[in-house]
């Protein structure tokens, strides 16, 4: 079991930047796959970005070129740098860990540990 705690959300203007953090703790294989999802009101949870243990990344098309996922294994922390934010990026952002397989795609069912979420609001 891995405990995940997100931080860094908040209110930002359109075009601004935020950096989210996901701190992992608990018993699991070292450097599990970490993914960021987001969920806006009345919308389904959607994939944002993922990173595996050696730093290979994957992004949703809507955030490519604007968001960057990275990890600092020594601190068991994954970051999501979000630049050029748009109003439609507003959502609750969740990090999730896959500790069972090496899949790091967009299927929510592949991730067995989830954080509580952090709100990101982009004001126009």
């Amino acid at each position: 079991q891995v405990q995940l705690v997100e931080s860094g959300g908040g209110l930002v203007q359109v075009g601004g930047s935020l950096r989210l953090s996901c701190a992992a703790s608990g018993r699991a294989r070292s450097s599990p796959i970490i993914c960021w999802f987001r969920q806006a009101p009345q919308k389904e949870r959607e994939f944002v970005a993922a990173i595996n243990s050696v730093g290979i990344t994957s992004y949703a098309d809507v955030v490519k070129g604007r968001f960057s996922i990275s990890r600092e294994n020594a601190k068991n922390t994954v970051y999501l740098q979000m630049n050029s934010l748009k109003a439609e990026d507003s959502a609750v952002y969740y990090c999730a860990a896959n500790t069972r397989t090496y899949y790091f795609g967009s299927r929510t069912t592949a991730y067995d540990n989830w954080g509580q979420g952090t709100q990101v609001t982009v004001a126009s």
Side-chain angles (χ1 to χ4, degrees), residues 34-108:
I34 300 290
C35 183
W36 285 96
F37 288 83
R38 66 187 184 187
Q39 188 166 20
Q42 284 86 52
K43 291 191 176 181
E44 292 190 357
R45 192 166 296 191
E46 66 172 353
F47 170 79
V48 176
I51 188 166
N52 72 1
S53 60
V54 295
I56 296 174
T57 59
S58 176
Y59 295 94
D61 288 343
V62 293
V63 305
K64 276 181 182 175
R66 301 188 298 122
F67 290 13
S68 177
I69 189 170
S70 61
R71 70 189 304 155
E72 196 169 353
N73 289 337
K75 293 186 177 180
N76 292 322
T77 300
V78 170
Y79 304 100
L80 183 68
Q81 178 66 44
M82 306 186 294
N83 299 326
S84 302
L85 283 162
K86 305 176 181 179
E88 52 264 43
D89 293 319
S90 296
V92 177
Y93 283 70
Y94 299 90
C95 68
N98 175 2
T99 65
R100 298 174 298 190
T101 71
Y102 293 97
Y103 173 84
F104 70 116
S106 59
R107 293 199 323 262
T108 57

Side-chain angles (χ1 to χ4, degrees), residues 16-30:
S17 298
L18 280 175
R19 189 178 80 157
L20 305 183
S21 298
C22 173
S25 62
R27 296 182 62 184
R29 67 167 187 242
S30 61

